[in-house]
């Protein structure tokens, strides 16, 4: 992939669907997207995107749980990236949820594992299984 143009937050904020030619730029995980021409094609409607025009839309984009197709579609609209030091911590590609900021990474990772739905989905039935097994063993043997 060719080097992306570095675009500052300040420049992105000018493309807020009001100023510069009603253009609409958004930021997702540190990348800058010009979605002006995509707005009327967006299956989720124009407004969800225009209200984030000129701003970081990472959380919104990820929260919707966009399909793989949607993510690929989004790639077509990348026009640049934010300078390293302007990428919000919560929007870095490796930590989309950005929870528990400030804590040490070990505690943060542990919190993320324990609160992730996949873990609890697994943990609850497993714990119940163990409890039932122990009860069965103590009562019937
Ligand atoms: C370049 C950026 C974007 C692209 C290419 C895109 C593409 C799509 C596509 C293809 C869908 C249909 C469902 C799917 O395939 O996942 C969709 C649905 C949706 N999108 Fe986006 N989207 C973008 C940005 C955003 C942003 C920034 C938001 C909100 C913050 C958003 C909110 C939604 C919502 C609410 C739906 C409807 C979900 C539903 O009906 O279940 N999208 N988008």
């Amino acid at each position: 992939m060719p080097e992306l143009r570095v675009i500052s937050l300040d420049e992105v904020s000018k493309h807020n669907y009001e100023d510069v030619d009603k253009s609409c730029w958004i930021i997702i995980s540190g990348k800058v997207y010009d979605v002006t021409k995509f707005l009327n094609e967006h299956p989720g409607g124009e407004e969800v995107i225009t209200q984030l025009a000129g701003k970081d839309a990472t959380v919104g984009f990820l929260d919707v749980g966009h399909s793989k197709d949607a993510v690929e579609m989004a790639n077509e609209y990348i026009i640049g990236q934010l300078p390293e030091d302007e990428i919000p911590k919560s929007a870095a590609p490796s930590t989309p949820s950005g929870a528990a900021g400030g804590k040490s990474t070990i505690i943060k990772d542990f919190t993320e594992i324990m609160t992730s739905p996949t873990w609890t989905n697994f943990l609850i039935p497993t714990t119940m299984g163990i409890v039932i097994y122990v009860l069965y063993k103590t009562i019937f043997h």
Side-chain angles (χ1 to χ4, degrees):
M1 205 158 106
E3 277 286 296
L4 284 173
R5 179 160 90 91
V6 175
I7 306 174
S8 69
L9 264 181
D10 191 49
E11 190 179 348
V12 177
S13 70
K14 289 179 189 141
H15 298 267
N16 55 6
Y17 199 54
E18 279 173 23
D19 304 332
V20 196
D21 299 331
K22 283 211 117 200
S23 54
C24 177
W25 293 8
I26 52 170
I27 299 158
I28 303 171
S29 300
K31 300 253 175 8
V32 181
Y33 296 73
D34 179 352
V35 288
T36 317
K37 295 204 176 77
F38 171 69
L39 288 176
N40 58 3
E41 288 170 34
H42 182 229
E46 289 189 20
E47 208 176 313
V48 276
I49 302 186
T50 53
Q51 64 193 9
L52 290 166
K55 300 196 199 117
D56 196 296
T58 311
V59 175
F61 186 84
L62 295 178
D63 271 359
V64 171
H66 279 95
S67 64
K68 200 166 154 273
D69 279 356
V71 175
E72 275 165 20
M73 202 185 275
N75 287 339
E76 293 173 29
Y77 299 95
I78 298 179
I79 53 163
Q81 65 186 30
L82 288 184
E84 237 11 85
D85 58 346
E86 288 191 1
I87 301 175
K89 285 269 178 297
S90 60
S94 51
T95 55
S97 64
K103 294 189 196 159
S104 86
T105 36
I106 294 167
I107 295 173
K108 193 179 124 197
D109 288 350
F110 183 70
T111 321
E112 264 172 18
I113 290 167
M114 292 315 285
T115 53
S116 94
T118 17
W119 247 91
T120 40
N121 286 351
F122 167 78
L123 208 62
I124 294 165
T126 311
T127 318
M128 280 168 70
I130 294 168
V131 170
I132 291 166
Y133 176 78
V134 171
L135 280 177
Y136 176 80
K137 278 282 184 193
T138 43
I139 293 167
F140 296 106
H141 293 276

